[in-house]
Amino acid sequence: MQSASALSRCRLWLHDRPFTADCLLAVALAVGYTGFFAAMADLTPEFDLDWPRSLIIMAPFAVIALRRRALWAGVALGVAIMAVAVFWEPAQVMGADSGIGFFVLTYTAAAWRSLREALLVAAAIWSPVAVVIYTGVGSGIDHVTATILVMVNLVMAATVFWIGWVVRNRREKVEELSERARFAEERQEALAAQAVADEQRRIARELHDVVAHHISVIGVMSEGAKRVLRTDPDAAEEALATVNQTARTALREMRDILTVLRQGHDEAGAADLEPQPTVDSLRALVAQTKDAGLPVRYTVRGQEYPLPTGVSLAVFRIAQEALTNTIKHAGPQARAGVVVDYGETEFRISVGDSGTGAPVVAGFSGGHGLIGMRERATLYGGTLESGPRPGGGYLVEARFPKNAHLQGVTR
């Protein structure tokens, strides 16, 4: 692990210093190539490799150090070294050694420069090489041999050029993907900001629909109590009792909204501009479910009484999700029943079916499902039970205390 970490740090250090990296590459290739010549000298006694000859062998590799900092200067230096090797006999060994540097420059041009410039660099390098080989200055080679040498050099140069071009395309593809990822991240941040703005508007609508109504009632009733305080004390007392109860309900609804925000429970999508559905909307929900093809019987038991807005919304959502699950999983021959029971101590909503399909264990679509229904019931001090019925089918039943809106309110 430590060696891998050290190697990674070394690569990063060289990546930030390209000229230093190229100089080290040039030295490494020069030393390796000179070592090869030294081995050949041991095998060939008539070949003498001294220090001046070693430096001459290393000279052509200097162009590699310029490949990224000054590419055209490297090309000019390489061609100049080749010319010196051609016309100066003691330096003829440099002519053969120039090939490695020329291949490196060709690769660099294809990998890092535009196609037009890369082709110009290749032409500037390999045209003089072909001329030198064909003229055969100082070598006395025939035309066929020269042609073969030129073709071999051009094929190798084309191969190196193609490798550099592939590397270039791959690097550009990676950069393009990185740019797309950055754009996607910025878009995600923009969408998150938009979601926050939408949530702020939704909260404003919730406050308007849930709290503003109670505040308006308090204002109207307190004004009425003020007017009849002296002439009809009993009516004033009754109005003040309504004000007290409404204030407690408004306080509870405000706490409910804050609880939802703090715990991260959210409705599916942005809330509509219309008021939220309530228990009174169940009849329309049942009719809509019948239109979807599921026979539903709707029953109301007990003497109806008003429910707090939050509880009424929770009841509607629970019934909606339960009927949706019945449509999805109960089967084509299933029937359903919705029972609303206004009890003296608790309010109960039951949704059952006669289907045989498997119940939804984790329906998280839009924050609903069994967990979502249970959270809605718990939020208002209620409970939710769900499971297969003894006689077949599936039953979802939620119970709310009659004074659920006063849960947690200090008297």
Side-chain angles (χ1 to χ4, degrees):
M1 293 294 294
Q2 292 181 353
S3 60
S5 177
L7 180 61
S8 178
R9 289 196 298 270
C10 181
R11 291 180 60 183
L12 290 176
W13 187 85
L14 291 176
H15 181 270
D16 295 336
R17 298 165 178 83
F19 180 69
T20 302
D22 292 339
C23 289
L24 293 176
L25 176 62
V27 171
L29 292 177
V31 171
Y33 197 73
T34 305
F36 169 76
F37 262 86
M40 293 296 295
D42 292 338
L43 298 176
T44 309
E46 62 272 13
F47 186 81
D48 184 21
L49 182 63
D50 51 13
W51 278 108
R53 187 179 292 270
S54 297
L55 294 177
I56 291 175
I57 292 175
M58 292 183 181
F61 292 91
V63 301
I64 298 177
L66 302 175
R67 70 187 189 100
R68 281 187 287 186
R69 169 165 287 192
L71 177 61
W72 283 104
V75 172
L77 177 61
V79 173
I81 291 175
M82 184 177 62
V84 172
V86 169
F87 296 104
W88 186 37
E89 185 176 353
Q92 284 184 357
V93 68
M94 293 192 304
D97 304 339
S98 299
I100 297 177
F102 285 161
F103 286 127
V104 173
L105 294 179
T106 302
Y107 166 84
T108 302
W112 294 97
R113 301 299 177 94
S114 65
L115 178 59
R116 178 177 178 275
E117 186 176 3
L119 292 174
L120 289 176
V121 169
I125 292 174
W126 297 104
S127 295
V129 171
V131 171
V132 169
I133 294 175
Y134 268 120
T135 56
V137 178
S139 61
I141 60 176
D142 55 45
H143 183 75
V144 175
T145 303
T147 301
I148 294 175
L149 289 176
V150 170
M151 293 302 298
V152 170
N153 278 276
L154 291 181
V155 169
M156 294 178 64
T159 302
V160 171
F161 189 95
W162 177 78
I163 294 174
W165 186 250
V166 170
V167 171
R168 172 193 177 89
N169 289 337
R170 182 178 179 182
R171 184 180 67 253
E172 291 179 348
K173 186 65 175 179
V174 171
E175 292 175 353
E176 179 183 356
L177 293 177
S178 300
E179 181 66 19
R180 289 184 180 180
R182 185 189 62 80
F183 176 76
E185 184 178 356
E186 293 178 352
R187 179 174 175 81
Q188 185 67 24
E189 293 177 354
L191 291 176
Q194 182 63 37
V196 170
D198 292 341
E199 179 65 9
Q200 290 175 340
R201 288 191 290 269
R202 189 188 72 84
I203 294 171
R205 289 193 291 268
E206 291 282 353
L207 291 174
H208 177 272
D209 295 339
V210 175
V211 179
H213 169 74
H214 299 305
I215 300 300
S216 299
V217 171
I218 291 174
V220 172
M221 298 303 295
S222 60
E223 183 66 25
K226 178 181 177 181
R227 291 180 179 178
V228 300
L229 182 61
R230 289 188 174 85
T231 58
D232 192 348
D234 293 336
E237 183 179 358
E238 183 179 353
L240 291 176
T242 303
V243 168
N244 181 274
Q245 180 180 0
T246 304
R248 292 177 182 274
T249 302
L251 178 60
R252 175 56 187 172
E253 297 294 344
M254 177 67 75
R255 289 182 176 178
D256 293 338
I257 294 175
L258 295 177
T259 300
V260 171
L261 295 176
R262 288 169 181 162
Q263 295 180 356
H265 304 302
D266 195 8
E267 294 294 332
D272 297 332
L273 294 176
E274 301 176 356
Q276 296 281 18
T278 63
V279 174
D280 296 334
S281 307
L282 287 177
R283 296 185 185 275
L285 176 64
V286 169
Q288 185 181 24
T289 306
K290 289 180 179 179
D291 293 339
L294 176 66
V296 184
R297 182 177 180 181
Y298 182 68
T299 305
V300 179
R301 298 175 182 172
Q303 184 65 35
E304 295 186 16
Y305 48 77
L307 295 175
T309 304
V311 176
S312 188
L313 174 61
V315 169
F316 179 88
R317 294 302 189 196
I318 290 172
Q320 183 183 46
E321 182 65 18
L323 289 174
T324 300
N325 289 340
T326 300
I327 294 174
K328 291 180 179 179
H329 305 284
Q333 304 299 325
R335 294 178 176 273
V338 178
V339 178
V340 177
D341 188 354
Y342 291 88
E344 295 182 359
T345 59
E346 67 177 10
F347 175 88
R348 180 169 58 90
I349 173 75
S350 303
V351 181
D353 63 67
S354 60
T356 57
V360 177
V361 176
F364 297 105
S365 176
H368 292 187
L370 294 178
I371 294 179
M373 289 189 288
R374 185 169 288 108
E375 289 175 344
R376 289 183 182 278
T378 304
L379 186 61
Y380 296 99
T383 59
L384 185 134
E385 297 179 358
S386 60
R389 302 171 64 180
Y394 201 80
L395 177 65
V396 175
E397 184 174 82
R399 299 172 181 268
F400 297 89
K402 188 175 181 179
N403 61 341
H405 60 290
L406 298 180
Q407 298 294 321
V409 179
T410 304
R411 293 183 179 272

